[in-house]
Amino acid sequence: MSTCSVSKGCFVFKPKSKKRKTSSAADYFSEGNNDSEDSGLRFDTCQLLWKQIKCETEELQDDLNKKLFDSLIRYLRQSHSDFKEKKTEWACRMKSNEVPTAALVLGVNVTDHDLTFKGLSEVLQDEVTPFVVSLRSKECQGIKQLMQKLMTRLMGCHVDVDSSEEEEPSVISPNRIRCSVTFLTDWYRNVTRKTDIGTSCQKGASPSRHWESPPVVVIFKDMESFTTKVLQDFIIISSQCMCEFPLVLIFGIATSPMIIHKLLPHSVSSMLCIELFQSLSCKEHLAKVIDKLILTSQFPFKLGEKVLQVLINIFLYHDFSVQNFIKGFQLSLLEHFYSHPLSVLCCEFQEARKRVKCLSPSQCENIRRLTSFRRFVESQASNKQTVLLTDDSCLKETVQTLLQDLHTYHKNYFPILRCLHAFMSSLPKYPLGKQIRELHCACLEKRVWETEEYESAIQLVRMLAKDELVAILEKCVEIIASSSATHLENSAKKLEEYLDQFKKFEEANDDQAETVTSLKEIQKKTDLYHLQKTLLEMKESRRFKKLSKFEMLRFEVVDFIDSLVRNHLVPAEMQTLHEVMYFSTTNTLREHLNAAPRIALHTALNSPYFYLKNEALKSDVGCIPNTAPDICIAYKLHLECGRLINLVDWLEAFSTVIIAAENQNSTIKDQMDDIIHARFIRAVSELEFLGFIKPTKQKTDHVARLTWGNC
């Protein structure tokens, strides 16, 4: 295609873009499971389950942030309630030009801050003011950029202005904004001239929700990343216009409130009226999420002990991000339904019963291959084994019963786990861990009652004082009563009987004092050796002493709790068909979550077919496909070289591969030399940018190789 021009130039003609065929997640399920006839049903089940989990997490997030947001709203009301009605008092109160500032300490889990600020902005815009602006440090390299962003986002809001004032547009173009405090003050007076500004930012919002003189709230999402000069200039400008319109600053802090005084000199920080607000710590937030998603029988999908430990370790040793933990949970859910054919039964029990009746012969064979089901078959009589392995109808009836037992196991497991944690958390040194998630992992890993920590804990529980024991029993009764486990009703009644006996029981003061003294003596022991030694001495001294009625009742209660633990806290791997609901493939999860950029880069350059899925890129091991991208050809050639690579030899080899791809004669080859040379230079520059090679001063026509070994 030719073109005419008065001056010489370079013209680019873009080819018509071809629309790529989009694929959905359902197609992903079906493509990866060509031999599975229920991939669509598994995808629908996975999607429905994730929607329920997502709804629960959003409600939990709102509940956790409610207290923080309410305190912020009270602070805003206290700061700006009298701005319009009592302007004289306001001017007197703001004589020092102090800017109300909320220092919001959110913790080091920076990736979770966006969700918190998004919720805060929505609450403020809905209940307080339509004028809420969020700023990031990367958007505000200087004070000019900061003011431009602030005024653009403020004045970009839709404002209901009187129709008679046609000369003042309701929507101001960002290009026409004059970045000055005077212009901002005039704009605020004009906007707040009418009392009804309820629809200024949110169409259809109730006018009564916003305050009569709404403050302008500026949120600095990452306060530590702002330069000192930008913060100083903005605070000085803000303090000068405090008498003209209400302004509130919110600093998002990830480290410590002391960062404000480190970034700002005293002359500037004294212009701020700072009040500190502390959000829930990321560890407490994670405990709430685990309690809501994992330690419940509401959702049939469960995480295995090793998978849960991987997610917790990534949280503790990498980013402290609760949102990344939830994403890991979502990835586990998706991988379970994608890779396990029998995950179609991972649903509510009534729905699972219906699906069992519709199992195909191939799915019945998949059930028979399960390790837990084979173990169950081996425990049956020989005639029963034959029927289970040959008769599909008998198998389906048995599977329904086993699934019901599995659902009952979950309903009983979590209340008893919480009861055991109530006892363990009252003991010194937390023998089985301080958090309930640690106790849950211990119960999933093995029979917890066979561990030394459990035996030591039970001995300590046998020496609890009456008041502590009564408080724990009341908590256990409340836990079981609030659960949906109908099989634990008798256990709850038994605990209530023990509770009544303790309340009616009057122990002698000397026995109580002896028990309390013994427990305090144990708590003073700091190491395990002295603790065990003291317990053994007390055990020997009590052997020859006659037990009192209180001690006998206490022993009976502890034995009853121990029996509940042995009956209901059996590891999940011991349950038949646990593979249907439990995801335990840690290797797959690590591959997705633990980034390995060097391996991914080597795979992409050495085997481009792995990512591009182009049949023309397929090649044998050790061969260089002549249709591969230039950088892939250059990369595979450089793997055959030593520490120093001769650029001339490298170019000759590269040219040989390219000409073989083009399949051209010698005449055309001479004409293509310049083009091949340019392509080679670009490929080498890209490899240098990626860090595979670097220039060397030893030889001018050589480059040094930087990477060695196999990935």
Side-chain angles (χ1 to χ4, degrees):
M1 187 175 182
S2 61
T3 182
C4 297
S5 176
V6 175
S7 60
K8 293 182 179 181
C10 201
F11 300 90
V12 178
F13 299 94
K14 296 183 179 180
K16 295 181 179 180
S17 60
K18 297 180 180 180
K19 293 184 178 180
R20 296 179 60 185
K21 183 180 178 181
T22 57
S23 59
S24 62
D27 297 332
Y28 173 73
F29 265 72
S30 59
E31 288 176 4
N33 301 274
N34 294 325
D35 58 341
S36 179
E37 64 275 8
D38 59 350
S39 58
L41 182 59
R42 281 191 284 139
F43 171 73
D44 294 337
T45 306
C46 176
Q47 194 174 35
L48 178 62
L49 187 57
W50 174 244
K51 286 181 179 178
Q52 296 174 356
I53 294 174
K54 185 179 179 182
C55 182
E56 289 290 332
T57 54
E58 289 176 352
E59 290 181 1
L60 176 63
Q61 184 72 32
D62 294 340
D63 293 340
L64 294 179
N65 289 335
K66 188 177 186 306
K67 184 177 180 180
L68 176 65
F69 293 169
D70 290 345
S71 59
L72 278 169
I73 292 175
R74 285 195 299 270
Y75 174 70
L76 293 177
R77 182 177 289 109
Q78 180 183 358
S79 300
H80 291 291
S81 58
D82 300 330
F83 174 71
K84 188 166 185 177
E85 290 82 357
K86 302 178 181 179
K87 200 166 184 180
T88 305
E89 181 182 345
W90 169 270
C92 181
R93 192 152 51 94
M94 292 297 168
K95 188 180 299 184
S96 60
N97 293 333
E98 289 185 343
V99 183
T101 305
L104 184 56
V105 182
L106 297 176
V108 295
N109 50 329
V110 181
T111 52
D112 296 341
H113 293 182
D114 285 340
L115 189 61
T116 304
F117 284 123
K118 180 182 177 182
L120 176 61
S121 299
E122 292 175 353
V123 170
L124 293 179
Q125 289 179 348
D126 188 50
E127 299 182 11
V128 179
T129 173
F131 312 124
V132 180
V133 177
S134 297
L135 300 175
R136 285 187 175 277
S137 58
K138 62 181 181 181
E139 303 172 340
C140 309
Q141 299 299 325
I143 186 62
K144 181 179 179 181
Q145 290 82 0
L146 189 149
M147 293 298 297
Q148 186 175 8
K149 286 288 182 182
L150 171 64
M151 300 176 73
T152 300
R153 293 177 181 177
L154 276 178
M155 303 175 189
C157 296
H158 177 70
V159 182
D160 289 339
V161 186
D162 192 3
S163 57
S164 61
E165 301 175 354
E166 297 180 356
E167 69 280 4
E168 298 173 357
S170 59
V171 179
I172 301 178
S173 174
N175 298 328
R176 299 177 58 186
I177 290 179
R178 294 170 295 172
C179 298
S180 64
V181 178
T182 305
F183 187 78
L184 182 61
T185 304
D186 295 339
W187 169 83
Y188 181 82
R189 289 174 180 172
N190 177 50
V191 169
T192 57
R193 186 173 301 172
K194 287 194 171 188
T195 58
D196 185 9
I197 60 168
T199 57
S200 57
C201 272
Q202 292 184 353
K203 188 175 180 180
S206 174
S208 60
R209 291 183 178 180
H210 292 153
W211 299 348
E212 187 173 353
S213 295
V216 176
V217 180
V218 182
I219 301 175
F220 294 84
K221 288 187 174 182
D222 48 347
M223 189 259 184
E224 291 98 334
S225 300
F226 280 85
T227 60
T228 303
K229 176 78 168 124
V230 172
L231 288 175
Q232 288 185 23
D233 293 344
F234 181 75
I235 292 172
I236 293 173
I237 293 172
S238 301
S239 64
Q240 293 174 357
C241 62
M242 283 305 299
C243 296
E244 302 297 333
F245 68 93
L247 178 68
V248 177
L249 305 182
I250 297 179
F251 288 159
I253 300 174
T255 54
S256 169
M258 293 302 297
I259 192 66
I260 298 177
H261 302 286
K262 290 182 179 180
L263 288 177
L264 303 175
H266 177 72
S267 59
V268 178
S269 61
S270 60
M271 298 179 182
L272 302 177
C273 180
I274 303 174
E275 185 159 341
L276 183 64
F277 296 88
Q278 179 75 49
S279 68
L280 191 69
S281 69
C282 52
K283 290 185 178 181
E284 294 176 350
H285 192 178
L286 178 67
K288 298 285 186 181
V289 170
I290 291 178
D291 187 73
K292 196 80 171 179
L293 299 184
I294 297 175
L295 304 181
T296 176
S297 59
Q298 179 181 358
F299 306 113
F301 173 73
K302 306 296 178 187
L303 295 179
E305 181 266 335
K306 293 183 179 179
V307 173
L308 179 58
Q309 201 62 51
V310 166
L311 294 179
I312 293 176
N313 289 340
I314 291 175
F315 171 85
L316 293 176
Y317 301 114
H318 286 77
D319 52 11
F320 287 103
S321 174
V322 178
Q323 295 304 315
N324 287 345
F325 179 88
I326 296 175
K327 290 178 181 178
F329 184 85
Q330 181 186 11
L331 181 61
S332 303
L333 175 70
L334 181 64
E335 187 65 31
H336 177 68
F337 277 90
Y338 172 71
S339 61
H340 205 299
L342 295 175
S343 59
V344 68
L345 302 178
C346 184
C347 56
E348 297 295 332
F349 174 64
Q350 297 301 329
E351 180 65 23
R353 289 186 60 183
K354 298 178 183 178
R355 297 183 181 183
V356 167
K357 296 178 182 178
C358 302
L359 290 177
S360 64
S362 61
Q363 291 171 326
C364 293
E365 288 301 322
N366 289 332
I367 292 177
R368 294 187 177 101
R369 295 191 190 100
L370 294 178
T371 304
S372 62
F373 188 78
R374 291 204 304 266
R375 185 172 60 240
F376 170 77
V377 172
E378 292 172 359
S379 65
Q380 303 298 311
S382 58
N383 56 348
K384 183 67 174 177
Q385 292 180 7
T386 305
V387 174
L388 289 174
L389 296 176
T390 57
D391 189 357
D392 289 350
S393 60
C394 180
L395 174 69
K396 292 177 183 179
E397 294 178 0
T398 306
V399 168
Q400 290 181 8
T401 304
L402 293 175
L403 286 177
Q404 184 176 8
D405 295 341
L406 189 58
H407 281 273
T408 304
Y409 162 77
H410 288 144
K411 289 184 178 180
N412 297 337
Y413 175 89
F414 294 108
I416 301 302
L417 178 71
R418 298 180 190 279
C419 292
L420 179 61
H421 180 256
F423 277 93
M424 298 296 107
S425 60
S426 64
L427 301 178
K429 301 301 179 184
Y430 306 106
L432 289 172
K434 182 178 181 180
Q435 301 290 339
I436 189 173
R437 66 169 183 265
E438 299 172 349
L439 182 60
H440 175 58
C441 290
C443 293
L444 289 179
E445 183 180 5
K446 53 188 174 182
R447 295 182 177 91
V448 69
W449 57 87
E450 295 179 355
T451 60
E452 296 182 1
E453 294 82 2
Y454 179 82
E455 293 178 359
S456 301
I458 286 297
Q459 293 183 19
L460 290 173
V461 171
R462 296 182 192 278
M463 289 179 285
L464 287 176
K466 174 186 171 184
D467 295 338
E468 294 180 350
L469 199 57
V470 168
I472 296 174
L473 288 178
E474 289 177 345
K475 188 175 181 179
C476 291
V477 171
E478 182 182 354
I479 290 172
I480 297 178
S482 60
S483 68
S484 59
T486 57
H487 295 77
L488 296 177
E489 292 180 353
N490 294 332
S491 301
K493 293 179 181 178
K494 189 71 174 176
L495 290 176
E496 290 178 354
E497 293 177 2
Y498 285 133
L499 196 57
D500 293 338
Q501 293 181 35
F502 274 117
K503 290 180 178 179
K504 296 177 182 178
F505 189 78
E506 294 294 334
E507 182 62 35
N509 292 332
D510 54 349
D511 290 339
Q512 282 283 7
E514 181 183 352
T515 302
V516 174
T517 305
S518 301
L519 190 58
K520 289 183 178 179
E521 199 174 298
I522 293 172
Q523 290 177 348
K524 293 179 181 179
K525 306 300 179 182
T526 56
D527 58 303
L528 184 61
Y529 172 75
H530 288 90
L531 180 63
Q532 291 178 343
K533 183 179 179 181
T534 305
L535 289 173
L536 290 175
E537 292 176 355
M538 295 183 66
K539 185 177 180 181
E540 289 294 330
S541 63
R542 288 175 179 273
R543 181 178 296 177
F544 304 101
K545 179 183 176 181
K546 185 178 179 181
L547 296 176
S548 64
K549 293 182 179 180
F550 169 75
E551 291 175 333
M552 293 176 62
L553 181 60
R554 183 172 57 188
F555 271 57
E556 186 178 350
V557 171
V558 176
D559 291 339
F560 178 72
I561 296 297
D562 182 57
S563 65
L564 291 178
V565 171
R566 294 173 183 267
N567 291 333
H568 300 294
L569 295 188
V570 181
E573 292 184 355
M574 304 300 296
Q575 302 298 317
T576 309
L577 299 183
H578 72 273
E579 298 94 338
V580 173
M581 299 183 180
Y582 281 82
F583 176 72
S584 304
T585 312
T586 56
N587 294 334
T588 305
L589 190 64
R590 284 196 181 99
E591 290 177 1
H592 290 299
L593 296 181
N594 293 341
R598 184 188 172 191
I599 296 177
L601 194 58
H602 172 78
T603 304
L605 296 177
N606 195 44
S607 303
Y609 173 78
F610 184 82
Y611 291 107
L612 298 179
K613 303 301 181 184
N614 188 348
E615 295 295 331
L617 298 177
K618 278 189 175 181
S619 63
D620 298 332
V621 179
C623 298
I624 302 177
N626 50 19
T627 56
D630 293 344
I631 187 174
C632 297
I633 297 174
Y635 177 78
K636 297 194 73 172
L637 289 172
H638 114 285
L639 292 178
E640 301 174 358
C641 302
R643 187 177 66 88
L644 295 178
I645 305 175
N646 189 320
L647 288 173
V648 177
D649 297 339
W650 197 3
L651 173 60
E652 288 296 328
F654 180 84
S655 178
T656 302
V657 176
I658 294 298
I659 292 174
E662 299 294 339
N663 194 17
Q664 297 169 346
N665 54 38
S666 58
T667 305
I668 301 178
K669 176 183 178 299
D670 295 337
Q671 299 174 357
M672 294 292 294
D673 282 344
D674 293 340
I675 299 177
I676 294 175
H677 194 185
R679 291 168 61 180
F680 174 75
I681 292 175
R682 182 178 63 181
V684 171
S685 301
E686 291 173 348
L687 290 177
E688 182 182 356
F689 177 76
L690 293 174
F692 290 103
I693 59 174
K694 72 172 183 178
T696 177
K697 295 182 179 179
Q698 296 181 7
K699 295 182 180 180
T700 56
D701 58 343
H702 286 63
V703 292
R705 184 178 171 184
L706 299 178
T707 58
W708 304 92
N710 295 324
C711 294

